[in-house]
Amino acid sequence: MKRVGFFRSIQMKFVLIYVLLILFAMQIISVYFVNSLEEKFTSNFQTSLEQRVELLEYNLGEEMLKERDLQSNTLEQDIRRVLEDFASASDVNEVRVINMENKIIGTSDSNNRGLVGQRLPDLSVKRALSAGQTEDEMLVDESTGQRVWVLTSPILSNSEVIGAIYLVGNIETVFTQLDDINEILFSAAVLALAITAILGVTLARTITRPITDMRRQAVALGKGNFSRKVKVYGQDEIGELAVTFNNLTKRLQEAQATTEGERRKLSSVLSYMTDGVIATDRRGRVILINEPASKMLSVSRETVISQPIVSLLNLEEDYSFDDLLNEQDSVILDYSTHDRPYVLRANFSVIQKETGFVNGLITVLHDITEQEKIEMERREFVTNVSHELRTPLTTMRSYLEALADGAWQDPDIAPNFLDVTQTETERMIRLVNDLLQLSKFDSQEYNLTKKDTDFIEFFNKIIDRFEMTKSRDITFRRKLPRYPIYVTIDQDKLTQVIDNIISNALKYSPDGGLVSFKVEEHGNTIQVSISDQGMGIPKKSLDRIFERFYRVDRARSRKMGGTGLGLAIAKELITAHGGHIWATSVEGKGTTIFFTLPADLSEEDDWE
């Protein structure tokens, strides 16, 4: 779980909101309070000086109208005394008295005594002398850089202007007091903000702690851990949210258990299915493929995920994904090669919602190679049987029609015709008997009567019989052990196998040829081989000589009276004995038929 930084946390946001609200409120209050206080202080300062100036005007008026003799103080001296008493307060910088001639007749500032007797070129003084107007304004002293309040007021006597007062008040003290108050307000604001931040953190924790727990629980749920529970800190809305979250966790756990059970069932079904299953999304890309499907298509799951289904099945040329969605019939996938037949049948089922929206496609693959092979063999078997029966029947019908037309009266022709007819009849009987025997093999209705047999003695007797009855100049050569080897076999069935193999060797061996017989021990089995020096079998036909009705040279085989079923019967019988049969051949040099049988080789010590 990625940790959220403090400055990005909701706790910080809560604290910041509280602090900003307090700061905003205090700012508004401070601005209003300071402005009101400044107006109040300024007004009080001005009112105080104006009241004192009224008294000063009266005193100055008395002094200016007072009659003086030689022994009395001069007007300037009396005015200086009055001004010194007035300007003793710290809130007055200087007071000047101007007569009607616009001359300064007194000043409270001892440093400006040189201005006495000079004219004051100030317009407010002129307006006060001429019109009796009282004026005030706020100025900045250029020498000190401090703010001053200048008041110009006329001196009246019986409503007549007899002079003017020019007062410069030290209003900077008012603003100094305001600065002190601002500092106090700022300190109080900082203290309030600090306390607010601490309270905000405490309050925010009470809100963010359950939210943090729920966040951790959500992360745990995302990882599949349903064991954790969110702690309920109270009965408020957040507490109710925590309870609801715990209930949701329980429901999710139940749903997850149900889904996991269904998933396991589906996974088990897909794993143990013999058929291949492929699922796609709505765009036709593979999202699921089970193990049988991977083996059928010789692909790995990792490489086919997200691959288009039409590409995976090699259907790009004939089908699009939309065609597969609308395909109602099975599609045959033929992956056969020259050496190996391989055919699959694909059935398609559309995954869609109740609204009809298509979510994807399910493809089920069936391996029908064996079915196709059996069907092909069945068709070939029917064709071969029909052909094998039609040939002797056609021959017999021709000869019987000739006999019926009067050939039976010819003593030279009739016996020959009857001999051919008898030969073809016997051939059909052998064919039917072989077919019946193979039918029993297919239906598992045959029973083997096995008994312990000395195979060397048994094999020698069969070879002796053929050697005594052979009608051609063919040499037999035996390479057999001189000690007994015991096998458990059905002697009649195995005699049929060996008779068939030796008969074929004699048929296809030329005059003066050699037929070799050999028995070898290999572990707990014996290997029997019968070789001839005939014309051999082509390599392409070598693996098919044990198929039913298969002949390398059909004309020659039929001429020699074969049914094409001898080796097929031999294969069934050897397999029934738990052995294996195969052939090797070199064209023009001959053929060797091998077969194996389980042997009880532990008997050797008892017989030696």
Side-chain angles (χ1 to χ4, degrees):
M1 179 177 68
K2 185 177 180 181
R3 185 177 180 84
V4 178
F6 176 76
F7 292 100
R8 293 186 178 182
S9 64
I10 190 171
Q11 183 175 341
M12 177 61 186
K13 294 176 182 177
F14 272 121
V15 174
L16 186 61
I17 290 173
Y18 294 150
V19 170
L20 289 177
L21 287 175
I22 296 298
L23 182 62
F24 183 71
M26 292 187 67
Q27 192 72 14
I28 293 176
I29 294 172
S30 299
V31 170
Y32 176 77
F33 177 74
V34 169
N35 287 337
S36 299
L37 197 63
E38 180 180 350
E39 291 178 1
K40 187 67 175 177
F41 279 12
T42 304
S43 175
N44 290 341
F45 179 84
Q46 293 174 350
T47 303
S48 175
L49 286 181
E50 287 174 353
Q51 291 175 354
R52 291 170 61 190
V53 166
E54 289 179 359
L55 180 60
L56 179 63
E57 288 176 357
Y58 176 79
N59 293 331
L60 291 175
E62 291 293 327
E63 294 296 335
M64 293 177 69
L65 295 176
K66 181 180 178 180
E67 293 182 1
R68 290 177 171 77
D69 53 19
L70 294 176
Q71 296 178 353
S72 301
N73 294 329
T74 61
L75 177 62
E76 287 79 3
Q77 291 176 341
D78 290 335
I79 289 176
R80 183 188 309 164
R81 176 180 53 79
V82 173
L83 292 180
E84 287 177 353
D85 294 337
F86 180 83
S88 60
S90 61
D91 54 354
V92 177
N93 289 341
E94 183 182 7
V95 179
R96 297 176 185 177
V97 181
I98 299 96
N99 59 15
M100 292 299 297
E101 295 176 357
N102 199 17
K103 291 182 179 179
I104 300 173
I105 59 176
T107 178
S108 63
D109 188 355
S110 59
N111 296 324
N112 291 331
R113 296 286 170 82
L115 297 177
V116 176
Q118 297 182 8
R119 294 180 179 276
L120 186 64
D122 193 280
L123 294 178
S124 62
V125 174
K126 293 180 180 179
R127 283 193 291 269
L129 293 175
S130 61
Q133 294 181 356
T134 301
E135 295 184 8
D136 65 282
E137 61 179 337
M138 191 84 65
L139 299 175
V140 176
D141 190 347
E142 296 180 357
S143 60
T144 61
Q146 294 183 347
R147 283 163 289 192
V148 294
W149 182 62
V150 177
L151 175 65
T152 305
S153 178
I155 301 173
L156 299 176
S157 177
N158 297 324
S159 302
E160 291 182 4
V161 178
I162 60 175
I165 296 174
Y166 181 82
L167 182 145
V168 180
N170 185 18
I171 202 171
E172 186 68 27
T173 57
V174 172
F175 290 100
T176 301
Q177 293 176 359
L178 290 175
D179 290 340
D180 295 339
I181 294 173
N182 284 334
E183 290 181 2
I184 295 172
L185 287 176
F186 178 76
S187 299
V190 171
L191 180 60
L193 290 176
I195 296 174
T196 301
I198 295 172
L199 294 176
V201 170
T202 304
L203 179 61
R205 283 183 178 177
T206 62
I207 299 175
T208 58
R209 186 182 302 168
I211 294 176
T212 301
D213 287 349
M214 284 185 277
R215 175 176 175 270
R216 291 172 181 168
Q217 176 66 6
V219 174
L221 289 179
K223 296 179 179 179
N225 180 11
F226 298 95
S227 61
R228 297 182 76 258
K229 298 293 182 182
V230 177
K231 184 177 179 180
V232 180
Y233 291 92
Q235 301 300 321
D236 55 2
E237 291 85 350
I238 295 180
E240 293 179 358
L241 177 61
V243 173
T244 304
F245 201 91
N246 288 334
N247 292 333
L248 175 62
T249 301
K250 184 178 180 181
R251 298 289 186 275
L252 284 176
Q253 185 175 11
E254 295 173 354
Q256 175 70 12
T258 303
T259 304
E260 182 65 18
E262 295 298 326
R263 187 193 67 79
R264 289 179 179 176
K265 291 179 183 178
L266 178 60
S267 178
S268 178
V269 170
L270 291 177
S271 298
Y272 289 98
M273 282 182 65
T274 56
D275 296 330
V277 178
I278 304 173
T280 72
D281 58 14
R282 59 187 180 86
R283 295 179 298 174
R285 299 188 178 276
V286 176
I287 58 174
L288 181 146
I289 180 171
N290 67 348
E291 190 65 25
S294 299
K295 292 180 179 179
M296 287 180 182
L297 299 175
S298 299
V299 295
S300 63
R301 299 183 193 181
E302 294 76 13
T303 57
V304 300
I305 295 300
S306 299
Q307 183 178 349
I309 184 70
V310 292
S311 175
L312 177 61
L313 300 179
N314 294 327
L315 296 175
E316 300 100 323
E317 296 181 359
D318 301 322
Y319 294 89
S320 65
F321 180 65
D322 292 335
D323 295 333
L324 296 182
L325 292 175
N326 298 320
E327 184 62 48
Q328 300 295 326
D329 299 326
S330 300
V331 175
I332 302 301
L333 308 174
D334 191 353
Y335 299 122
S336 301
T337 62
H338 178 71
D339 300 327
R340 174 176 172 265
Y342 189 50
V343 182
L344 301 178
R345 181 175 69 243
N347 294 315
F348 302 98
S349 176
V350 179
I351 308 172
Q352 59 184 18
K353 297 181 178 179
E354 296 179 356
T355 58
F357 181 79
V358 175
N359 279 342
L361 184 70
I362 294 291
T363 303
V364 180
L365 301 178
H366 307 272
D367 187 351
I368 59 172
T369 304
E370 288 300 322
Q371 298 177 18
E372 290 292 316
K373 184 178 179 181
I374 291 172
E375 182 63 23
M376 182 178 65
E377 290 177 351
R378 185 190 64 80
R379 292 192 297 266
E380 185 177 353
F381 178 78
V382 172
T383 301
N384 288 333
V385 170
S386 301
H387 184 73
E388 293 295 335
L389 290 176
R390 183 179 60 185
T391 301
L393 286 173
T394 302
T395 302
M396 290 172 62
R397 185 181 64 177
S398 300
Y399 280 86
L400 290 174
E401 286 177 353
L403 290 172
D405 289 339
W408 62 275
Q409 297 177 354
D410 188 336
D412 295 329
I413 299 177
N416 186 31
F417 278 16
L418 290 174
D419 183 59
V420 171
T421 303
Q422 183 178 2
T423 301
E424 294 298 329
T425 301
E426 292 175 353
R427 180 181 169 193
M428 284 192 297
I429 292 173
R430 289 196 305 272
L431 178 61
V432 172
N433 288 335
D434 289 345
L435 289 174
L436 289 174
Q437 189 173 10
L438 286 172
S439 178
K440 291 180 180 180
F441 292 154
D442 292 338
S443 60
Q444 303 292 325
E445 291 181 357
Y446 62 98
N447 293 317
L448 297 179
T449 305
K450 295 183 179 181
K451 63 179 181 179
D452 291 339
T453 304
D454 180 1
F455 186 79
I456 304 301
E457 181 182 354
F458 170 75
F459 197 20
N460 275 319
K461 287 181 180 180
I462 298 175
I463 298 171
D464 290 342
R465 175 164 49 84
F466 274 95
E467 193 169 17
M468 291 175 62
T469 59
K470 65 181 179 179
S471 59
R472 297 168 57 202
D473 182 17
I474 297 176
T475 303
F476 282 11
R477 184 171 65 187
R478 310 181 197 195
K479 293 183 180 180
L480 308 178
R482 297 184 179 274
Y483 50 86
I485 299 176
Y486 285 90
V487 293
T488 304
I489 59 174
D490 186 324
Q491 293 184 4
D492 290 338
K493 297 295 190 295
L494 203 58
T495 298
Q496 182 180 356
V497 172
I498 297 174
D499 283 354
N500 184 277
I501 297 173
I502 296 176
S503 297
N504 285 340
L506 293 174
K507 286 178 185 178
Y508 296 106
S509 291
D511 290 337
L514 175 67
V515 177
S516 300
F517 305 93
K518 189 176 182 180
V519 176
E520 295 178 334
E521 296 176 357
H522 296 283
N524 290 326
T525 63
I526 61 171
Q527 177 178 294
V528 182
S529 61
I530 301 173
S531 304
D532 63 49
Q533 292 181 340
M535 57 185 174
I537 301 172
K539 185 176 181 180
K540 64 179 181 180
S541 303
L542 195 60
D543 293 335
R544 301 191 60 190
I545 62 174
F546 296 99
E547 296 178 5
R548 300 173 185 183
F549 291 109
Y550 185 80
R551 293 188 178 92
V552 178
D553 188 342
R554 289 184 177 272
R556 183 178 179 187
S557 298
R558 191 173 293 111
K559 182 179 179 181
M560 292 181 175
T563 62
L565 298 174
L567 289 179
I569 294 173
K571 180 180 179 181
E572 295 289 344
L573 289 173
I574 293 297
T575 302
H577 278 80
H580 179 57
I581 187 169
W582 70 97
T584 61
S585 181
V586 178
E587 286 191 75
K589 292 185 179 182
T591 301
T592 301
I593 303 295
F594 297 89
F595 67 85
T596 61
L597 292 171
D600 187 6
L601 300 181
S602 62
E603 297 289 334
E604 292 181 9
D605 295 337
D606 298 335
W607 288 91
E608 288 180 350

